[in-house]
Amino acid sequence: QDIRVRQAVGMMFNFEWSNQALFYGVYKRTDSFWENSDMQAEGMAEGDELAVLADFRDQLPETVFTEPAFVPPVNAPDRTDRRALRAAARLLEDAGWTMQDGLRKNEAGETLSVTILDSSPAFERINNPFIENLKRLGIDARCELIDHAQYQQRTKDLDYDIVPGRFRLPQTPGSELRQLFGAASADIPDTSNISGIADPAIDALIMRVLAAETRDEVRTRVKALDRVLRDRHIWVPQWYSGTHKIAYWDIFGMPDEKPPYTRGDAQWWLDQEKYDALKAAGAPLP
């Protein structure tokens, strides 16, 4: 429940190391719930977005207004970034979790523990270094791998600390916002609100998005919502790819201007000149 603890946990995921060591550098770090779109909050809140947020100033942390939209810090591409470790340790100290016998404990002697729940070994290579970094921070961290049926029941019953998830939010947000981030869905079984966030200001911002009458209003209000959600540190943002990777014979013509977010293979035609040139060069064409 302490934002400082959530932020410290998130700092222990070293995307830069994972991207270099595991992904051949092909991914980018996710910053936003509307990543790679014109609805992503950036920099300081200003203009129409600031005007939207100002209506809820007494309900929002001052950081929403005094700091840029949260972006995860860039780590050194080492398995453990010691600067991040020190910064996260300070956050935990401030939150009352001190080192006692190698573990983070509070005044009541309770140990800070975090379990990542998963049903597939596919993410072990990502989770294990993350867990190692959490342990270096003094957190009793582990990954619990269970079968899919158990996983479905555990997530349905909200019986977890951290679970993997993938959001694909639409370009025109709608009622799914209430399911993902609304207070009414925070504590009900089988909810889509997997973080359990319940915040009156976020509920109000969602209603502002749903009430938008123009595309500009949608864009502005979603940016405001994105900024507030990111300020809450309810997730450990991982990665995305802004491009589709397709291998093809260079014998096709394509439009100069493509629809946004298209994979790019729906408007192709055979370019006879390209085909003849490759054939003349001895390429083994179909």
Side-chain angles (χ1 to χ4, degrees):
Q1 295 299 317
D2 194 311
I3 192 171
R4 294 167 295 187
V5 175
R6 299 197 298 273
Q7 187 173 359
V9 168
M11 292 171 70
M12 291 298 93
F13 173 65
N14 191 331
F15 165 76
E16 284 70 27
W17 178 86
S18 297
N19 196 36
Q20 176 178 288
L22 304 176
F23 306 141
Y24 303 95
V26 300
Y27 290 115
K28 297 179 181 179
R29 185 75 188 267
T30 299
D31 299 328
S32 163
F33 289 92
W34 282 269
E35 185 65 59
N36 199 33
S37 80
D38 62 359
M39 295 185 288
Q40 175 177 352
E42 296 182 300
M44 301 291 293
E46 54 188 30
D48 291 340
E49 183 191 349
L50 179 58
V52 171
L53 292 167
D55 290 342
F56 308 99
R57 188 148 199 156
D58 60 338
Q59 302 177 54
L60 294 172
E62 195 62 20
T63 50
V64 170
F65 302 94
T66 60
E67 296 180 8
F70 179 78
V71 174
V74 177
N75 287 338
D78 305 318
R79 200 174 182 93
T80 302
D81 186 326
R82 295 187 180 278
R83 293 172 303 172
L85 193 65
R86 289 193 294 267
R90 286 194 294 269
L91 285 169
L92 292 183
E93 294 280 346
D94 292 344
W97 295 96
T98 59
M99 287 292 282
Q100 302 175 37
D101 301 321
L103 290 172
R104 293 280 169 184
K105 297 186 179 184
N106 60 15
E107 289 185 353
E110 298 169 315
T111 299
L112 179 57
S113 62
V114 171
T115 299
I116 301 174
L117 189 68
D118 208 345
S119 62
S120 168
F123 261 55
E124 283 186 331
R125 63 182 186 144
I126 294 110
N127 288 336
N128 288 341
F130 181 28
I131 288 169
E132 288 176 15
N133 285 339
L134 290 170
K135 288 181 176 178
R136 288 187 174 93
L137 191 57
I139 296 174
D140 178 22
R142 62 177 63 87
C143 181
E144 186 176 355
L145 196 63
I146 57 179
D147 65 54
H148 189 64
Q150 286 181 301
Y151 183 82
Q152 281 188 311
Q153 190 62 49
R154 290 275 297 273
T155 53
K156 181 177 181 179
D157 295 339
L158 313 181
D159 183 15
Y160 54 82
D161 296 332
I162 296 177
V163 289
R166 180 171 182 245
F167 292 142
R168 295 185 65 184
L169 299 179
Q171 286 296 296
T172 303
S175 60
E176 78 284 341
L177 294 177
R178 288 185 287 192
Q179 298 168 19
L180 292 169
F181 307 118
S185 62
D187 296 316
I188 61 174
D190 208 17
T191 180
S192 298
N193 184 348
I194 58 176
S195 73
I197 189 166
D199 187 300
I202 288 174
D203 284 351
L205 284 168
I206 289 172
M207 295 308 296
R208 289 283 185 94
V209 173
L210 299 181
E213 296 182 353
T214 68
R215 190 66 197 174
D216 284 343
E217 286 182 346
V218 171
R219 186 181 301 111
T220 298
R221 296 175 186 187
V222 171
K223 284 182 177 181
L225 176 61
D226 183 44
R227 183 180 300 273
V228 174
L229 287 170
R230 287 156 63 181
D231 186 74
R232 292 294 194 267
H233 297 281
I234 60 174
W235 65 339
V236 181
Q238 295 188 318
W239 59 84
Y240 79 100
S241 174
T243 59
H244 295 286
K245 298 171 179 62
I246 303 173
Y248 59 91
W249 291 109
D250 190 16
I251 58 175
F252 301 103
M254 304 176 191
D256 293 333
E257 186 173 346
K258 302 177 180 63
Y261 309 110
T262 180
R263 190 169 62 186
D265 60 352
Q267 302 89 21
W268 293 12
W269 56 87
L270 178 67
D271 187 315
Q272 193 63 46
E273 289 185 6
K274 288 184 176 181
Y275 182 90
D276 292 341
L278 280 181
K279 188 174 182 179
L285 294 170

